[in-house]
Amino acid sequence: EVQLVESGGDLVQSGGSLRLSCAASGLAISDYWMNWVRQAPGKGLEWVASIKEDGTERDYADSVRGRFTISRDNTKKSVTLQMNSLRVEDTAMYYCARDGGWHCFDHWGQGTPVTVSS
Amino acid sequence: QSALTQPASVSGSPGQSITISCTGTSSDIGAYNRVSWYQQHPGKAPKLIIYDVVNRPSGVSYRFSGSKSGTTASLTISGLQAEDEADYYCNSYRRNSSPVFGTGTKVTVL
């Protein structure tokens, strides 16, 4: 089955850290940019971070730059989002998504929930 | 970067056709034929339903169609069905810029 599976979401206190993981199965990711997209409760989709095929380029939304780090391991077909200095406003469902090209997100995981309490 | 603008809600009766607009700029929708649309049912992950303005991925119903005019892209759902009730988001490539989604449209089947 073709899928992306996220894990690592949890309830954490403000200022804390979490590490999200995304594992691909039946789906090639080594030739694609990979992304994290989040959705706060009742809100729209917000792109968070992306990483180039070989990991040499990374990009972040202004809201997370300096606090979040995206990385990947193509040998393990996985993508990771290290989240530090978490804030209440980081509370959201976090999705891993493959960029099929030209910012078209052709495959999505089921999401992992992150809740940051004050 | 600013999100693409969509109407907050659109509704229609079963069997009708509805159209959702997505307004961008000359730097994104107006410059590239790289508009994609996503359907998201409550509690579910988004799903790609249109890419490159007009193309449907395998398995997506023919009732979904896309178009573009100038800086505005549109998604049309024909023969509206109860299962089409969901949130819909657009996205467009923008050169030398990070990905950005539309504001989202809630479709209600009356």
Side-chain angles (χ1 to χ4, degrees):
Chain A
E1 184 181 3
V2 174
Q3 59 181 354
L4 295 169
V5 179
E6 302 94 333
S7 61
D10 205 346
L11 170 63
V12 63
Q13 282 197 324
S14 179
S17 298
L18 274 179
R19 186 177 182 87
L20 305 185
S21 296
C22 170
S25 62
L27 179 69
I29 68 167
S30 60
D31 295 329
Y32 299 88
W33 282 74
M34 293 298 294
N35 300 260
W36 288 94
V37 176
R38 69 184 180 184
Q39 186 171 39
K43 302 297 184 181
L45 301 175
E46 178 190 15
W47 169 81
V48 173
S50 62
I51 185 167
K52 193 178 180 181
E53 299 93 324
D54 59 4
T56 58
E57 291 182 35
R58 307 174 194 202
D59 192 16
Y60 300 93
D62 290 343
S63 57
V64 307
R65 185 173 289 113
R67 301 187 298 120
F68 290 12
T69 302
I70 188 172
S71 59
R72 66 189 297 163
D73 184 338
N74 286 337
T75 63
K76 297 181 178 179
K77 299 183 71 175
S78 67
V79 182
T80 299
L81 186 68
Q82 177 66 44
M83 304 188 296
N84 298 331
S85 302
L86 282 162
R87 305 167 180 169
V88 171
E89 54 265 34
D90 294 319
T91 294
M93 182 69 77
Y94 284 73
Y95 296 101
C96 174
R98 190 181 83 167
D99 184 343
W102 304 93
H103 294 174
C104 174
F105 297 89
D106 59 356
H107 289 279
W108 297 70
Q110 85 289 349
T112 188
V114 171
T115 302
V116 184
S117 66
S118 56
Chain B
Q1 45 274 48
S2 302
L4 303 170
T5 302
Q6 299 179 231
S9 63
V10 173
S11 62
S13 300
Q16 286 186 329
S17 292
I18 61 170
T19 297
I20 303 167
S21 62
C22 171
T23 302
T25 70
S26 57
S27 297
D28 40 59
I29 294 176
Y32 303 96
N33 289 323
R34 300 293 184 181
V35 177
S36 51
W37 289 90
Y38 305 85
Q39 177 191 58
Q40 185 181 34
H41 287 109
K44 300 294 187 180
K47 172 189 173 184
L48 176 67
I49 58 171
I50 294 288
Y51 67 96
D52 293 350
V53 180
V54 298
N55 296 311
R56 285 188 308 276
S58 175
V60 173
S61 173
Y62 67 93
R63 298 184 299 101
F64 294 94
S65 62
S67 62
K68 188 187 89 166
S69 178
T71 58
T72 299
S74 299
L75 173 71
T76 297
I77 308 175
S78 56
L80 197 62
Q81 299 180 1
E83 66 203 50
D84 301 330
E85 190 160 288
D87 294 325
Y88 292 82
Y89 296 90
C90 63
N91 169 288
S92 173
Y93 179 76
R94 186 183 292 174
R95 187 179 179 87
N96 295 328
S97 179
S98 306
V100 62
F101 292 94
T103 51
T105 299
K106 180 177 180 62
V107 168
T108 300
V109 181
L110 303 172

